[in-house]
Amino acid sequence: MNKYLLKTEPSVFSFDDLMKEKKSVWDGVSNNLALKHIRSMSKGDLAFIYHTGEEKQIVGIAKIVSAPYPDPKLKDPKLVVVEIQAMQKLKNPVALSAIKAQKKFANFPLVKIGRLSVMPVSDDEWESIVSLSK
């Protein structure tokens, strides 16, 4: 099972919105590297949901519940989406500043490639972030 981080602007679509909807299509991604990461997703993979903007924190965990497929709202087969399902809100959100404060995250894409909206998360990074949220 692979793990990812998905960024969203909470004023547009927040983790609370996902919790209410229970399931949603993750769309609106156009960056080539981010799309490559979406194409590598499989049903059952997990993803942190990260709020951008003023919050800058990981707030919840979602599950990928579909294989990637072309965005049905657009006519470009390169623009793919997946469906995600809310799993749990983190007890304590993990701020970007807390992640940057730890040397072990120096190569984490959230730190190195701040503008990337979809990124892989290693098992070690995942476990460290989960620990920070407790």
Side-chain angles (χ1 to χ4, degrees):
M1 170 184 8
N2 293 316
K3 297 171 181 78
Y4 298 89
L5 182 140
L6 305 173
K7 288 183 172 182
T8 185
E9 173 58 52
S11 64
V12 175
F13 187 80
S14 70
F15 188 74
D16 287 340
D17 294 331
L18 179 59
M19 293 287 284
K20 285 179 203 154
E21 291 181 17
K22 298 190 182 0
K23 186 171 124 178
S24 184
V25 173
W26 197 263
D27 60 5
V29 176
S30 58
N31 175 278
N32 286 331
L33 183 54
L35 287 166
K36 177 183 172 190
H37 295 315
I38 289 177
R39 284 187 206 95
S40 70
M41 292 179 176
S42 298
K43 190 175 179 178
D45 288 346
L46 297 176
F48 284 128
I49 304 299
Y50 177 89
H51 283 177
T52 62
E54 292 186 20
E55 287 189 38
K56 293 182 179 67
Q57 60 187 0
I58 298 171
V59 296
I61 298 173
K63 181 189 273 187
I64 309 303
V65 294
S66 77
Y69 59 92
D71 189 332
K73 294 186 272 180
L74 304 172
K75 299 202 189 272
D76 185 344
K78 291 185 263 179
L79 300 177
V80 293
V81 300
V82 289
E83 294 171 22
I84 64 170
Q85 177 182 332
M87 287 189 62
Q88 70 182 63
K89 194 169 193 170
L90 295 182
K91 184 176 178 183
N92 297 299
V94 180
L96 176 60
S97 58
I99 292 169
K100 285 182 171 182
Q102 297 196 21
K103 289 181 184 177
K104 65 179 152 188
F105 289 111
N107 291 317
F108 186 37
L110 184 62
V111 173
K112 285 191 82 159
I113 315 169
R115 303 275 307 153
L116 190 61
S117 62
V118 178
M119 61 194 69
V121 178
S122 73
D123 289 339
D124 287 342
E125 292 163 341
W126 185 273
E127 292 305 321
S128 294
I129 291 167
V130 168
S131 291
L132 288 171
S133 74
K134 293 181 178 178

